[in-house]
Amino acid sequence: PVLLHYCAMQQVDEAMALMETMAELRVLAAEEEFVSLLRAIFSTRTESKHALETLKRMSGHIFTVSEEALLGLIKDIPAADLNRTPHLLAKKEIRLLDLSETERKQFREALFNQAANNGSLENLERFAAWLESQPPFEKVVDVANVAWCNGTFKVANVEKIRSDLMARGENVLLILSAHSRYKFFTSTSNDRTTRQTSGELSLKMLDEQTSTCRSTSSITPKRCNDDLYWMYATVAENRNTIAVTNDLMRDHHRPMRIKYKTFQRWRHCRVMGYETKPELELKPLPRYSKAMQESETCWHIPAKESNLWLSLPHAACL
């Protein structure tokens, strides 16, 4: 109610400050509040010197609105226009949104904090240092997730994904949990000594079985969450690595205490899934993010239910 009151009184700066406070408390603005704030921005554009900056700040708190709301805004903002996704893609007006450098740093810190809470910070820090010494990896594979994708542990699944990626000329990092290591080796060898081998010997054997000039493997230490390792690889500094997994990571967002928007954007642009039927096959990353975003000349806000977008020219804010 307070946010709507600020909007009705055209107190844009106060409304935006309240929205950001809500975000810090992990309370998302309702669609009605977001739409009311948009109306306030454009109705006070001659008085506000920060309309474009306010829109940029708003983009961190909203993804989509209903088509009904968009159609209502087009009536209230004469300079606005309606567009469809294919048109905006063709004109390169919308794109796949990635994390900013600040968000990547926050994500890394959140992973280190989670590792510290689990008593495994030193191990993750060692992995980060090792990763920095390696050549860039285009993909990191969550081995346990891929191997178990059909309900039974199959190393052939991992080899299929690995070979497909290498055929594209990509460098691949395989992350295997200590918990799954036993399964991996009983699946690839009938030798009793192999099954009972130590962690160091297991890693050496895994490298011999799967490493080439474009593929490297890493086994996480015991009692360490392997998810933290492949997740870290996707946000490591000066890297552009994509994870391959179907893990929905429902158990990570809350413990990491990271903004919902940041986590969702990371999942959208840094995680590549795969199909299991009729055969194991990688899914391509989406071509664009269905979220409020800025081009050189406009702000674009998508509808939830369709491929409709509201385009707000920068000039309309001035």
Side-chain angles (χ1 to χ4, degrees):
V2 177
L3 183 54
L4 291 176
H5 170 75
Y6 283 146
C7 294
M9 300 300 292
Q10 298 186 349
Q11 295 175 302
V12 172
D13 292 338
E14 291 83 351
M16 195 62 234
L18 178 56
M19 183 179 280
E20 292 186 334
T21 300
M22 290 166 59
E24 291 174 2
L25 297 173
R26 305 187 180 208
V27 177
L28 295 178
E31 180 179 290
E32 181 186 6
E33 295 169 327
F34 172 72
V35 170
S36 295
L37 184 49
L38 265 181
R39 288 195 177 98
I41 289 172
F42 282 90
S43 65
T44 61
R45 63 184 182 277
T46 56
E47 300 172 17
S48 176
K49 299 178 181 179
H50 310 292
L52 286 176
E53 183 58 32
T54 302
L55 282 170
K56 189 183 294 291
R57 289 158 63 194
M58 286 178 66
S59 68
H61 307 298
I62 200 75
F63 288 101
T64 61
V65 297
S66 68
E67 186 170 321
E68 181 182 359
L70 288 191
L71 295 175
L73 284 169
I74 198 73
K75 298 176 183 177
D76 299 330
I77 308 173
D81 193 15
L82 291 176
N83 287 292
R84 299 282 179 180
T85 300
H87 173 75
L88 294 176
L89 280 173
K91 294 181 66 178
K92 298 182 178 179
E93 289 282 307
I94 54 176
R95 65 196 186 283
L96 184 63
L97 300 176
D98 205 344
L99 299 181
S100 67
E101 286 303 316
T102 299
E103 289 172 324
R104 289 169 67 95
K105 182 179 179 181
Q106 292 171 346
F107 208 100
R108 291 194 296 271
E109 291 172 351
L111 291 171
F112 283 132
N113 288 337
Q114 191 172 357
N117 292 336
N118 297 336
S120 57
L121 175 59
E122 187 176 340
N123 289 319
L124 185 58
E125 288 177 334
R126 276 200 296 266
F127 172 78
W130 171 83
L131 188 64
E132 190 175 347
S133 70
Q134 299 299 304
F137 295 104
E138 281 77 26
K139 298 292 187 297
V140 56
V141 179
D142 178 5
V143 170
N145 181 270
V146 173
W148 282 102
C149 68
N150 292 316
T152 55
F153 194 95
K154 294 182 179 179
V155 175
N157 295 340
V158 181
E159 179 57 28
K160 172 67 166 59
I161 294 294
R162 185 180 73 97
S163 60
D164 286 353
L165 292 171
M166 290 175 58
R168 302 179 183 183
E170 298 185 351
N171 292 329
V172 183
L173 174 61
L174 305 177
I175 300 292
L176 178 67
S177 67
H179 176 72
S180 298
R181 179 178 57 206
Y182 175 79
K183 283 284 186 181
F184 188 96
F185 288 107
T186 54
S187 299
T188 57
S189 175
N190 292 320
D191 185 85
R192 189 171 185 177
T193 303
T194 300
R195 296 194 191 106
Q196 297 175 348
T197 187
S198 68
E200 289 184 6
L201 182 58
S202 295
L203 180 55
K204 181 176 182 296
M205 294 178 66
L206 179 60
D207 279 334
E208 290 174 353
Q209 290 178 15
T210 65
S211 289
T212 68
C213 59
R214 291 192 176 277
S215 177
T216 302
S217 54
S218 177
I219 297 178
T220 62
K222 290 182 180 179
R223 295 181 294 278
C224 290
N225 189 335
D226 59 308
D227 289 350
L228 302 185
Y229 289 72
W230 62 257
M231 291 172 75
Y232 181 89
T234 66
V235 292
E237 198 169 2
N238 300 319
R239 298 299 173 99
N240 191 33
T241 305
I242 304 296
V244 177
T245 182
N246 275 356
D247 190 339
L248 297 178
M249 291 153 286
R250 296 188 182 97
D251 56 340
H252 286 296
H253 169 242
R254 195 169 295 276
M256 286 176 67
R257 301 188 62 81
I258 200 166
K259 289 181 180 179
Y260 176 77
K261 179 265 302 188
T262 301
F263 192 83
Q264 289 297 96
R265 181 171 293 179
W266 167 79
R267 249 179 47 168
H268 192 66
C269 69
R270 290 281 133 200
V271 179
M272 172 184 284
Y274 53 87
E275 300 282 1
T276 58
K277 296 180 180 180
E279 62 179 1
L280 203 62
E281 185 177 7
L282 291 166
K283 294 179 182 178
L285 284 176
R287 295 176 61 193
Y288 68 96
S289 299
K290 194 167 184 177
M292 181 178 176
Q293 55 184 283
E294 185 181 18
S295 67
E296 290 184 3
T297 60
C298 293
W299 277 97
H300 305 285
I301 304 171
K304 293 176 183 175
E305 316 93 324
S306 67
N307 67 352
L308 195 66
W309 293 70
L310 180 73
S311 297
L312 303 167
H314 289 167
C317 303
L318 305 177

